[in-house]
Amino acid sequence: MSIHKEIKKVTTHTLLNMKQAGEKISMLTAYDFSMASILDEAGIDVLLVGDSASNVMAGHETTLPITLDQMIYHAQSVVRAVNRALVVVDLPFGTYQGNSKEALNSAIRVMKETGAHAIKLEGGAEVEESIKRIVGAGVPVMGHLGLTPQSIYKFGTYAVRAKEEAEAALLLEHAKVLEAAGCFAIVLEKIPASLGALVAQQVRIPIIGIGAGAGVDGQVLVMHDVLGITKDFSPRFLRRYLDLHSAILNATKQYIQDVKQLDFPNNEEQY
Ligand code: KIV
């Protein structure tokens, strides 16, 4: 039997066991109670309260504007819905890069005010000290390397990262630094599949990919993309499982028509 079926509550240890047993880890983003309860009921292993909320919930072009208070609001809603999944919360831009004390304070606020199980932050050796301090305080940390959206203005493009040998070697080095600093897992975003597989082989902790190929230990996608709520975002790594955009659009048009034509409410739909 797979570990997935036996587990009542997913922990960071479960993820490590899954990697060791060769069972892939499933992870999706969630930002609100209703969606999180459906994803948890489906048996998702990890729910990420991603700072992609800045894009898909708030309509910003980048992840930079979202605040710690806003992330905490989303995380509280998700935690209330979840029985089984491990809930990980992104530390937003500007709440951990200053110094390790600031990083720890932000992580503590998330853990105290939301009831989530872990935090995620972006970067390599430059956040090593912060990771050590947060893990030292008892808070599990997930790393994030490759295309790190909080650095989009440094990259200047959302293109695939680490295609060149030097950047690939540096990414592997950073993954080892994150592992040694105490991260329980690392997200790798938009890098060549061969590099994703290499990193997954070279570290003990689970590597969860988004556009990092099939050779990593698990996959994460943004829920709005998977369900087809967003329609203009179509990177090669995305598989859409639904076209909710069309379904919601058509249902709303039908509702408007029914109201205008006095079809709704009918006799059974009133007191
Ligand atoms: O914020 C987010 O949704 C993320 C995923 C893309 C991994 O960090």
Side-chain angles (χ1 to χ4, degrees):
M1 187 188 273
S2 73
I3 292 172
H4 176 96
K5 296 250 162 57
E6 290 168 8
I7 291 301
K8 292 219 164 41
K9 276 198 188 294
V10 178
T11 68
T12 55
H13 292 278
T14 316
L15 304 186
L16 190 60
N17 290 341
M18 283 181 173
K19 172 164 181 151
Q20 284 163 359
E23 178 174 343
K24 299 286 183 185
I25 296 161
S26 63
M27 172 162 148
L28 280 171
T29 62
Y31 318 98
D32 71 286
F33 177 88
S34 304
M35 277 294 179
S37 60
I38 299 172
L39 305 184
D40 189 56
E41 186 185 336
I44 198 80
D45 296 315
V46 185
L47 282 177
L48 171 67
V49 184
D51 58 357
S52 49
S54 178
N55 309 108
V56 296
M57 299 301 287
H60 293 296
E61 203 177 310
T62 72
T63 58
L64 276 65
I66 199 160
T67 65
L68 190 57
D69 284 339
Q70 288 165 339
M71 288 301 297
I72 286 172
Y73 168 78
H74 287 296
Q76 287 169 336
S77 309
V78 169
V79 167
R80 266 181 230 122
V82 166
N83 292 312
R84 178 185 177 277
L86 183 84
V87 179
V88 182
V89 182
D90 265 335
L91 291 190
F93 177 68
T95 67
Y96 62 94
Q97 291 92 343
N99 57 57
S100 63
K101 191 156 183 271
E102 178 192 44
L104 177 61
N105 287 340
S106 301
I108 286 178
R109 273 203 65 199
V110 167
M111 300 301 282
K112 251 190 179 335
E113 295 178 37
T114 72
H117 310 123
I119 63 98
K120 175 165 87 57
L121 47 75
E122 298 182 3
E126 69 278 13
V127 288
E128 178 185 7
E129 192 189 319
S130 296
I131 293 169
K132 282 184 176 161
R133 199 159 181 168
I134 297 169
V135 173
V139 177
V141 176
M142 179 179 273
H144 187 157
L145 295 169
L147 177 64
T148 44
Q150 292 178 13
S151 302
I152 189 58
Y153 290 120
K154 181 177 82 180
F155 298 142
T157 161
Y158 284 99
V160 178
R161 302 303 312 173
K163 278 161 87 174
E164 308 300 329
E165 218 173 285
E167 193 183 336
L170 196 60
L171 187 144
L172 178 58
E173 216 175 279
H174 284 309
K176 289 179 177 172
V177 169
L178 295 191
E179 177 177 41
C183 281
F184 70 91
I186 302 172
V187 166
L188 291 185
E189 182 163 350
K190 217 169 177 185
I191 59 165
S194 54
L195 178 60
L198 178 70
V199 176
Q201 282 160 18
Q202 299 261 327
V203 299
R204 272 181 59 254
I205 56 175
I207 298 297
I208 302 178
I210 172 164
V216 291
D217 307 305
Q219 300 293 331
V220 56
L221 286 171
V222 170
M223 177 263 292
H224 284 64
D225 302 330
V226 171
L227 301 182
I229 298 172
T230 49
K231 69 176 173 66
D232 298 328
F233 181 66
S234 295
R236 178 180 173 145
F237 65 74
L238 174 62
R239 185 181 294 179
R240 277 189 213 288
Y241 288 81
L242 271 180
D243 179 7
L244 268 190
H245 181 95
S246 301
I248 294 171
L249 190 67
N250 292 335
T252 308
K253 283 181 178 169
Q254 185 65 54
Y255 170 73
I256 294 167
Q257 186 182 310
D258 290 353
V259 170
K260 302 280 180 196
Q261 295 180 351
L262 311 186
D263 181 73
F264 176 80
N266 63 25
N267 283 343
E268 282 74 51
E269 290 164 331
Q270 48 190 309
Y271 301 101

